[in-house]
């Protein structure tokens, strides 16, 4: 069973707190190149770039994307080292209960969400050509494609391994049940986005979307006894969006195909995914992978063995 793989007598909860600090430290170390680039830009332009978003946006968008993603590469390395040497676990134990990663699950989830995202974007462009405008420039897009394809899956996989793997198993060690890790990782994942520029535009209500997304990813991880579906979904969500649509009020501003010039509305963008789309995806996944025992897998107690 996936969540039980982290339940060991030696894995006391304080280790997860310390391990999280070490992972954050590694990620922070990976932000140094971005900080140096912003500093040089500030000195060269003579402007005080104290606002984080303004500072990042002062750089070329492809360069800023590369430097932002670099911190996740450092975080991933930090996570691997913490799991191996601090918790005496393998990365596979953090990822799935199967003997090896089921890549067919990853690609199915990735493909399903990619197709939905592409179709919904094209429909939005057809019906709102004044708000979703053509932004394609071949050379900048080609550079974006290479950077995004190589690094965004590392970013999304690192987030999944930390939240749906490391912290999910960590809170299971603490609570010895399933509902508490599911709830806590979803709340932490959602509030982690509180500094995103989207929050300034749409208000704190958008945290419902982020927490709801974390809850959805946690549910499919627990029900499927592994992170393959969440890995595929998260990679598709960030990668395809980065390539397809950008705007002046999102966290990642890219040389994408389209640019959204609309004013963010709020209610539709927040509640339709959480209340309509995610339940439909849960239904699709549950039928394809024949999920049963929902109550037990999402809220049940964990039987602790002496390990």
């Amino acid at each position: 069973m996936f969540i039980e793989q982290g339940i060991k007598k030696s894995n006391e909860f304080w280790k997860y707190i310390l391990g999280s600090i070490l992972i954050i430290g590694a990620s922070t170390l990976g932000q140094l190149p971005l900080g140096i680039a912003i500093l040089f830009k500030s000195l060269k332009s003579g402007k005080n770039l104290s606002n984080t978003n303004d500072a990042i946006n002062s750089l070329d968008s492809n360069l800023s994307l590369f430097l932002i993603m670099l911190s996740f590469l450092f975080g991933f390395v930090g996570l691997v080292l913490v799991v191996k040497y601090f918790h005496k676990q393998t990365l596979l134990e953090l990822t799935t209960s199967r003997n090896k990663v089921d890549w067919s699950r990853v690609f199915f989830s990735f493909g399903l969400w990619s197709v939905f995202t592409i179709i919904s974007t094209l429909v939005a462009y057809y019906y709102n050509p004044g708000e979703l405008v053509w932004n394609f420039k071949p050379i900048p897009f080609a550079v974006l494609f290479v950077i995004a394809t190589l690094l965004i899956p590392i970013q999304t996989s690192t987030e999944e391994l930390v939240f749906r793997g490391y912290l999910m198993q960590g809170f299971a060690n603490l609570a010895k049940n399933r509902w508490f890790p599911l709830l806590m990782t979803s709340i932490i994942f959602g509030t982690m986005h509180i500094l995103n520029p989207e929050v300034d535009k749409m208000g704190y209500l958008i945290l419902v979307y982020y927490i709801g997304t974390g809850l959805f990813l946690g549910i499919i991880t627990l029900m499927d006894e592994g992170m393959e579906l969440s890995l595929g979904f998260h990679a598709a969500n960030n990668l395809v969006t980065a390539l397809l649509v950008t705007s002046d009020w999102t966290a990642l501003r890219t040389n994408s195909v389209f640019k959204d010039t609309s004013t963010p509305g709020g209610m539709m963008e927040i509640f339709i995914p959480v209340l309509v789309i995610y339940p439909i995806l849960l239904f699709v996944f549950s039928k394809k992978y024949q999920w049963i025992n929902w109550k037990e897998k999402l809220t049940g107690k964990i039987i602790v063995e002496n390990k």
Side-chain angles (χ1 to χ4, degrees):
M1 303 291 279
F2 169 72
I3 199 169
E4 284 84 353
Q5 290 179 158
I7 306 295
K8 297 180 180 180
K9 192 174 182 180
S10 60
N11 270 350
E12 298 178 52
F13 188 66
W14 67 264
K15 287 188 175 183
Y16 287 93
I17 297 175
L18 181 57
S20 297
I21 294 172
L22 294 173
I23 294 166
I24 292 170
S27 180
T28 303
L29 183 64
Q31 293 176 7
L32 288 178
L34 176 62
I36 293 170
I38 291 172
L39 177 61
F40 275 114
K41 183 70 174 182
S42 178
L43 293 173
K44 186 177 179 180
S45 65
K47 296 179 180 178
N48 181 18
L49 301 174
S50 57
N51 181 278
T52 303
N53 291 322
D54 290 342
I56 292 174
N57 294 331
S58 70
L59 303 174
D60 172 78
S61 62
N62 283 330
L63 175 60
S64 66
L65 177 65
F66 172 79
L67 294 175
I68 290 171
M69 293 297 107
L70 200 59
S71 68
F72 289 94
L73 179 59
F74 277 70
F76 176 77
V77 173
L79 172 67
V80 171
L81 294 176
V82 165
V83 169
K84 182 178 180 179
Y85 295 106
F86 206 46
H87 296 278
K88 310 301 181 183
Q89 284 182 268
T90 65
L91 198 60
L92 181 65
E93 289 178 311
L94 204 67
T95 307
T96 184
S97 61
R98 288 167 268 276
N99 293 329
K100 60 181 180 180
V101 174
D102 187 347
W103 289 103
S104 66
R105 278 173 153 85
V106 177
F107 291 130
F108 175 76
S109 182
F110 181 92
L112 181 64
W113 192 242
S114 294
V115 169
F116 174 83
T117 303
I118 292 169
I119 291 176
S120 61
T121 300
L122 293 176
V123 169
Y125 177 67
Y126 179 80
Y127 284 103
N128 299 290
E131 294 184 348
L132 201 61
V133 300
W134 189 253
N135 188 58
F136 180 74
K137 299 179 183 66
I139 295 178
F141 179 81
V143 176
L144 165 66
F145 184 85
V146 172
I147 294 172
T149 303
L150 291 176
L151 294 182
I152 286 182
I154 293 176
Q155 176 240 326
T156 57
S157 296
T158 300
E159 289 189 5
E160 287 307 302
L161 286 165
V162 168
F163 287 98
R164 257 61 66 179
Y166 187 70
L167 291 180
M168 184 80 80
Q169 292 182 358
F171 282 116
N173 268 282
L174 177 67
K176 304 301 187 294
N177 62 40
R178 294 166 177 269
W179 68 265
F180 186 75
L182 175 60
L183 183 63
M184 288 302 297
T185 55
S186 302
I187 293 173
I188 296 171
F189 177 78
T191 53
M192 181 189 72
H193 295 81
I194 198 168
L195 296 178
N196 282 18
E198 295 94 326
V199 177
D200 288 335
K201 288 291 183 179
M202 303 175 71
Y204 290 111
L205 190 63
I206 195 176
L207 293 180
V208 172
Y209 165 75
Y210 290 126
I211 294 173
T213 300
L215 187 63
F216 164 71
L217 294 170
I219 289 172
I220 62 177
T221 296
L222 291 178
M223 290 304 303
D224 203 49
E225 297 292 353
M227 287 171 40
E228 288 95 338
L229 296 178
S230 69
L231 285 168
F233 175 92
H234 202 159
N237 186 72
N238 288 28
L239 176 58
V240 176
T241 301
L243 294 174
L244 274 184
V245 183
T246 188
S247 74
D248 292 332
W249 46 269
T250 54
L252 294 180
R253 304 182 191 185
T254 62
N255 292 295
S256 58
V257 176
F258 300 104
K259 183 174 182 178
D260 186 356
T261 61
S262 65
T263 301
M267 301 300 287
M268 293 280 286
E269 293 90 339
I270 293 170
F271 289 105
I272 286 184
V274 174
L275 298 180
V276 179
I277 299 174
Y278 292 164
I280 292 174
L281 289 175
L282 285 174
F283 177 79
V284 172
F285 289 144
S286 68
K287 292 300 180 183
K288 181 172 177 59
Y289 298 111
Q290 300 179 349
W291 293 345
I292 57 174
N293 298 330
W294 287 69
K295 183 178 179 180
E296 177 63 26
K297 286 189 174 184
L298 298 181
T299 65
K301 293 182 179 180
I302 294 175
I303 307 287
V304 180
E305 299 177 0
N306 292 324
K307 293 186 180 180

